[in-house]
Amino acid sequence: MPKSFATPAMMAAALFLFLCAPRASAQASEIPEGPRPWWKHAVFYEIYPRSFADSNGDGIGDLNGIASKLDYLKDLGVDAIWITPCYPSPQVDFGYDVSDYENIDPMYGTLQDFDHMEHEARQRGIRIIMDFVMNHTSDQHAWFIDSRSSRTAAHRDWYIWRDGQNGGPPNNWTSGFGGSAWKLDPATGQYYYHFFYPQQPDLNWRNPAVEKAMFDVTRWWYKRGVAGFRLDAVETLFEDPNLHDNPVLPGKNAYGDPIEEREYTTKLPELHDVLHDLRKVADEHEAVLIGETWTNNIDELKQYYGAHSDELQMPMDFLFATVNRLSAPAFREQIATVDSAGGWPVYVISNHDMPRSYDRYGDGPHNDAIAKLMAGLYLTLRGTPILYYGEEIGMENNDPKRREDVKDPIGKLGWPEEKGRDGERTPMQWTDGANAGFTRATPWLPVPPSSATHNVASESKDADSILQFYKHLLALRHQNRALLDGDYVPLNPDDPNVLSYLRRYRDEAVLVVLNLSANPQKVRFDLGPQGFPAAKARMLLSTAGQGESAISALSLEPFAVYIAEISK
Ligand code: NOJ
Ligand code: CA
């Protein structure tokens, strides 16, 4: 049985305490318990463990470091943390090459440290989500060591082995990380398949023994108190058993490889059977499955929820994150598409594989205002948000300047076009002191100069900081019924600059108004058609410089956020 957690009502009562900022005037009200699953009202937070907090002075973050920051996370308004892989690993792909799924890498601590962190998190009502690297193992995993030892080894068929063709690899499939996806293993004279690095051989999910062993891994962690998994690279689980060549498109990618349409190596329908069965195991433990679901369109995303809502509860909508400009029409369209898809939307604006949102959306002079604007957007939508560590303080990308400084192998291979992902993985900025308070040693990646101003300690003292804005917004989100459960109702659909919507729950509503432009804007709202003919607005939260004004003639500063409670 899952161990007990604080109820949303208890959390709401506690988080009410935050609602005291000058421009925030949220109303306190306890949310009655409903039949909804916990993850629908939870705020998730992604931690890249190498970079969060270093407790033992080796320049690399660790589990005790995470445990030491749980009060900060609770105070921020986080309900669940997703920790990217912290299992034993040669660290070729910084943990996404797992050599033992049922242990902790010594650089991050021990299983006892994990238990301590999990216990401390539970005390605070914070759940732990682990990263499940399903598609591949490390080449140092005992299964692969056995698999490659001979053609008749017990684990031979746990991976994908094929003969070469005409003195080369079995077909034209390329790796997502550069070069052929096949590597010749001289010991047995066959090639093995790896969608990612050669040190990350793909598991053969057509083999029931693989499925059983991997499902047992999830059971093992559920018993240890884990509340769910983020599923890595789900789209690559299966490949065409007949090895058809992928169609080739004109041009070359950053690695110098021909550009392929990955028709035979990604999104094969068989993967949905695995997700369906994995969900059954999750349901036995009241656990949540979050998908790293790269999709080209809404139909693909819909499939990940399952035909009967029986696959992933939380497939991430990356189409939202790929709206890479502050365009009210573009966001409006994407939100409407996902909101009407039938599942529970999952919003992310950055992660450890994409440049930070601060840089992607920022225009330079207004970066802090835009960081608050993006928070005002994705934290008020109907759905569950997943924050990326440091987003809440406006951390920026710090890309390597020279090839010799690059740590991420794809940056070494693709330099200078592809600089790798080091830039978005730099140490969490806790203070304005040495190494941003992350470590007393030399951090594994350099801290950017912006840590002098953008750090937890300084922003905690500044009422106008990005951090304070996140805290107020998350507190509001936890206690306002319309923000928790209300419908998404778009407003003023033709406005090219201002994105506005209601979150409407029965007779209550919250109005969210976001000026996505660098110019002052004026907007007016007639909420009669939405059931509020004589709407009265009471401001709940707004950005600095954005004061109270009537919704019949609302003046907005550039990049302003205005959030108000609407009553009849
Ligand atoms: C997706 C992960 O997010 C990324 O960091 C990793 O390199 C690949 N999957 C391979 O596991
Ligand atoms: Ca450490």
Side-chain angles (χ1 to χ4, degrees):
M1 276 299 289
K3 303 173 200 169
S4 67
F5 271 94
T7 65
M10 287 156 63
M11 300 296 290
L15 286 162
F16 158 65
L17 296 173
F18 294 126
L19 298 177
C20 54
R23 276 169 302 279
S25 59
Q27 187 189 40
S29 66
E30 285 217 350
I31 304 296
E33 274 290 300
R36 63 195 175 273
W38 67 268
W39 45 267
K40 283 197 172 175
H41 288 177
V43 169
F44 287 67
Y45 184 96
E46 177 190 351
I47 292 180
Y48 198 69
R50 288 183 82 87
S51 300
F52 198 59
D54 174 20
S55 73
N56 64 348
D58 62 358
I60 295 172
D62 43 59
L63 298 190
N64 285 333
I66 296 174
S68 73
K69 300 297 183 185
L70 289 167
D71 283 336
Y72 165 75
L73 294 171
K74 167 123 178 109
D75 196 44
L76 175 60
V78 167
D79 306 295
I81 53 177
W82 149 34
I83 304 174
T84 64
C86 52
Y87 315 103
S89 161
Q91 303 291 326
V92 172
D93 191 15
F94 298 111
Y96 281 98
D97 45 323
V98 179
S99 53
D100 178 357
Y101 287 93
E102 295 178 359
N103 213 331
I104 297 293
D105 193 291
M107 92 170 58
Y108 295 127
T110 61
L111 278 172
Q112 286 64 43
D113 294 334
F114 176 86
D115 291 342
H116 167 71
M117 175 188 71
E118 196 278 333
H119 174 77
E120 291 297 314
R122 182 175 296 272
Q123 298 296 310
R124 292 162 178 80
I126 296 175
R127 289 172 162 88
I128 309 283
I129 304 295
M130 295 293 267
D131 208 309
F132 192 36
V133 188
M134 303 175 69
N135 174 69
H136 47 272
T137 69
S138 160
D139 63 351
Q140 298 308 307
H141 195 293
W143 299 338
F144 189 72
I145 292 174
D146 180 56
S147 185
R148 79 186 331 175
S149 66
S150 91
R151 290 194 183 204
T152 55
H155 292 88
R156 183 65 170 183
D157 194 35
W158 284 43
Y159 295 85
I160 295 154
W161 293 97
R162 291 287 191 282
D163 292 329
Q165 229 198 105
N166 308 322
N171 67 9
N172 77 346
W173 295 349
T174 52
S175 156
F177 283 175
S180 169
W182 296 99
K183 184 160 168 66
L184 179 64
D185 198 40
T188 57
Q190 280 194 310
Y191 288 77
Y192 67 86
Y193 176 72
H194 56 91
F195 185 84
F196 296 99
Y197 297 127
Q199 296 90 338
Q200 295 169 296
D202 274 47
L203 283 162
N204 175 15
W205 276 88
R206 296 182 193 279
N207 181 344
V210 167
E211 180 174 296
K212 160 115 188 32
M214 290 298 275
F215 283 16
D216 282 349
V217 167
T218 68
R219 292 187 177 97
W220 191 89
W221 284 103
Y222 292 141
K223 284 186 194 131
R224 239 185 159 97
V226 160
F229 287 93
R230 174 266 189 184
L231 309 182
D232 184 61
V234 283
E235 70 177 29
T236 59
L237 286 191
F238 286 89
E239 309 71 37
D240 173 25
N242 299 317
L243 304 196
H244 283 104
D245 275 349
N246 274 329
V248 177
L249 304 170
K252 302 256 177 195
N253 64 21
Y255 311 112
D257 299 326
I259 299 174
E260 272 183 12
E261 222 174 274
R262 298 214 154 99
E263 187 178 335
Y264 295 107
T265 47
T266 60
K267 298 181 185 155
L268 268 68
E270 295 92 314
L271 76 89
H272 292 283
D273 300 330
V274 171
L275 297 182
H276 175 265
D277 293 348
L278 191 63
R279 171 66 181 276
K280 281 196 199 151
V281 180
D283 282 347
E284 287 163 19
H285 299 272
E286 291 170 37
V288 68
L289 299 178
I290 305 172
E292 189 206 8
T293 38
W294 291 98
T295 59
N296 292 321
N297 53 55
I298 194 66
D299 290 328
E300 285 182 7
L301 186 67
K302 272 180 169 175
Q303 288 178 27
Y304 283 111
Y305 289 106
H308 305 285
S309 302
D310 50 3
E311 293 186 29
L312 308 183
Q313 298 103 317
M314 291 179 52
M316 294 183 203
D317 173 26
F318 285 121
L319 294 165
F320 182 83
T322 45
V323 176
N324 250 347
R325 63 214 153 90
L326 288 181
S327 156
F331 275 115
R332 200 178 282 130
E333 188 184 334
Q334 182 53 31
I335 296 161
T337 308
V338 173
D339 197 74
S340 58
W344 185 254
V346 180
Y347 291 108
V348 285
I349 57 173
S350 50
N351 67 23
H352 63 284
D353 293 327
M354 67 174 87
R356 285 189 173 270
S357 54
Y358 191 83
D359 304 75
R360 296 207 329 279
Y361 297 106
D363 67 350
H366 305 100
N367 282 1
D368 285 8
I370 294 171
K372 292 179 193 170
L373 178 74
M374 289 308 295
L377 171 58
Y378 89 116
L379 300 179
T380 60
L381 291 171
R382 189 186 75 93
T384 296
I386 306 178
L387 281 63
Y388 183 47
Y389 82 93
E391 199 170 83
E392 75 277 19
I393 52 171
M395 271 175 65
E396 64 181 18
N397 250 64
N398 191 27
D399 287 329
K401 310 288 176 295
R402 311 174 311 172
R403 188 178 183 277
E404 54 268 40
D405 297 330
V406 176
K407 298 274 195 305
D408 182 5
I410 64 171
K412 289 184 181 145
L413 197 63
W415 189 270
E417 205 182 315
E418 168 61 72
K419 291 191 167 58
R421 298 162 292 181
D422 295 351
E424 54 262 33
R425 298 173 173 182
T426 58
M428 176 67 178
Q429 297 163 191
W430 296 105
T431 70
D432 62 1
N435 303 319
F438 161 74
T439 180
R440 50 184 190 274
T442 305
W444 78 285
L445 283 175
V447 167
S450 72
S451 65
T453 49
H454 291 70
N455 62 75
V456 171
S458 308
E459 292 190 44
S460 296
K461 290 185 230 136
D462 174 1
D464 279 344
S465 66
I466 300 170
L467 178 60
Q468 297 292 4
F469 191 73
Y470 264 80
K471 281 190 188 180
H472 293 310
L473 204 44
L474 293 180
L476 189 59
R477 222 195 118 84
H478 278 98
Q479 61 86 48
N480 184 289
R481 171 58 87 188
L483 285 179
L484 287 168
D485 285 328
D487 297 338
Y488 167 79
V489 183
L491 299 171
N492 297 3
D494 300 322
D495 192 317
N497 299 303
V498 181
L499 183 64
S500 312
Y501 45 91
L502 280 186
R503 295 293 312 284
R504 187 180 58 194
Y505 184 82
R506 298 186 183 150
D507 286 349
E508 303 166 32
V510 164
L511 170 68
V512 180
V513 187
L514 305 160
N515 181 1
L516 270 63
S517 80
N519 301 312
Q521 302 289 342
K522 284 198 187 315
V523 281
R524 58 181 301 276
F525 298 99
D526 168 13
L527 301 180
Q530 281 77 35
F532 299 91
K536 288 192 225 34
R538 187 175 70 86
M539 190 177 77
L540 295 172
L541 184 61
S542 74
T543 43
Q546 184 57 54
E548 179 83 84
S549 56
I551 60 163
S552 53
L554 191 59
S555 298
L556 297 163
E557 305 261 319
F559 304 114
V561 177
Y562 174 85
I563 302 174
E565 184 181 65
I566 300 296
S567 55
K568 289 193 167 176

